Amino acid sequence: AQSVTQLGSHVSVSEGALVLLRCNYSSSVPPYLFWYVQYPNQGLQLLLKYTTGATLVKGINGFEAEFKKSETSFHLTKPSAHMSDAAEYFCAVSGNTGNQFYFGTGTSLTVIP
Amino acid sequence: DTAVSQTPKYLVTQMGNDKSIKCEQNLGHDTMYWYKQDSKKFLKIMFSYNNKELIINETVPNRFSPKSPDKAHLNLHINSLELGDSAVYFCASSQMDRGSYGYTFGSGTRLTVV
């Protein structure tokens, strides 16, 4: 069975500060891990994903995430927050088949000017 | 060229009415989904179809009936709408044998029942 835990349903950072959104997963199989972003009044957009290979994954808009198997984590970071980063962020885990997809409960990111 | 398209984007209707939401994907995926997103942004899966066959049918009132005429289309019909049905409904698609692909989402349908 797989599950995802996102610590912190709301995160606030100042513009220019580091963004860190936490995601821990549990999976009985090697997981595929995803971060999705949902801007206000829009659908979910893939930010980045880890499948195999390099554990540090770079995504769009300067975001990156590191897969740490020993910590069962896939935290999302960005060195310097922009106002446009304000959105809802979802971590998700998938198994080998496309219908084994589990979302976290989301983290709302607020960027303070 | 939109990969997963939903119509309508907004739907305002009165209690007791029947409404439908349509979804189409042009990615060649074989699996499609309906998700409900509540006011707290929580995503709850409702249904999943693989090659027109229902494979996930979560605990959803039977007023909700999905229909998949082919693997590129998945519609959601809702009978006797209630206030609690107000939410954003997302359609998504994926490839069943490729968990690494993830899901592709539509832009959502905001349903408001008054």
Side-chain angles (χ1 to χ4, degrees), chain B residues 34-36 44-47 56-66 76-78 85 89:
Chain B
W34 280 112
Y35 277 83
K36 180 180 180 180
K44 182 180 187 301
I45 188 161
M46 301 172 69
F47 304 103
I56 295 176
N57 186 2
E58 292 295 318
T59 306
V60 174
N62 57 16
R63 299 181 294 102
F64 290 78
S65 54
L76 183 65
H77 188 76
I78 316 170
D85 298 331
Y89 293 84

Side-chain angles (χ1 to χ4, degrees), chain A residues 32 34 36 38 41-44 49 51 88 90 94-101 103 105, chain B residues 9 33 35 37 41-43 55 90 94-97 99-103 105-107 110:
Chain A
Y32 300 123
F34 306 81
Y36 284 83
Q38 183 182 19
N41 298 314
Q42 294 188 28
L44 279 76
K49 65 179 180 180
T51 54
E88 191 82 17
F90 293 93
S94 173
N96 291 326
T97 58
N99 68 334
Q100 298 172 338
F101 208 79
F103 281 99
T105 50
Chain B
K9 189 169 176 64
Y33 310 82
Y35 277 83
Q37 186 176 49
K41 304 293 186 182
F42 181 67
L43 287 162
I55 57 171
F90 286 104
S94 74
Q95 187 63 23
M96 174 66 78
D97 60 351
S100 61
Y101 285 10
Y103 285 12
F105 283 84
S107 58
R110 182 174 295 275

Side-chain angles (χ1 to χ4, degrees), chain A residues 17-107:
Chain A
L18 171 72
V19 176
L20 171 60
L21 305 183
R22 299 179 186 274
C23 174
N24 288 88
Y25 70 92
S26 66
S27 177
S28 56
V29 297
Y32 300 123
L33 294 159
F34 306 81
W35 275 100
Y36 284 83
V37 59
Q38 183 182 19
Y39 297 107
N41 298 314
Q42 294 188 28
L44 279 76
Q45 177 183 356
L46 182 65
L47 202 53
L48 50 78
K49 65 179 180 180
Y50 169 79
T51 54
T52 58
T55 56
L56 182 62
V57 180
K58 294 186 186 301
I60 61 173
N61 300 335
F63 283 93
E64 60 183 35
E66 186 170 11
F67 169 56
K68 292 187 176 180
K69 186 177 179 180
S70 61
E71 298 177 8
T72 61
S73 69
F74 190 57
H75 301 331
L76 182 71
T77 61
K78 181 174 180 177
S80 176
H82 294 162
M83 296 298 294
S84 60
D85 295 326
E88 191 82 17
Y89 291 81
F90 293 93
C91 182
V93 62
S94 173
N96 291 326
T97 58
N99 68 334
Q100 298 172 338
F101 208 79
Y102 299 90
F103 281 99
T105 50
T107 297

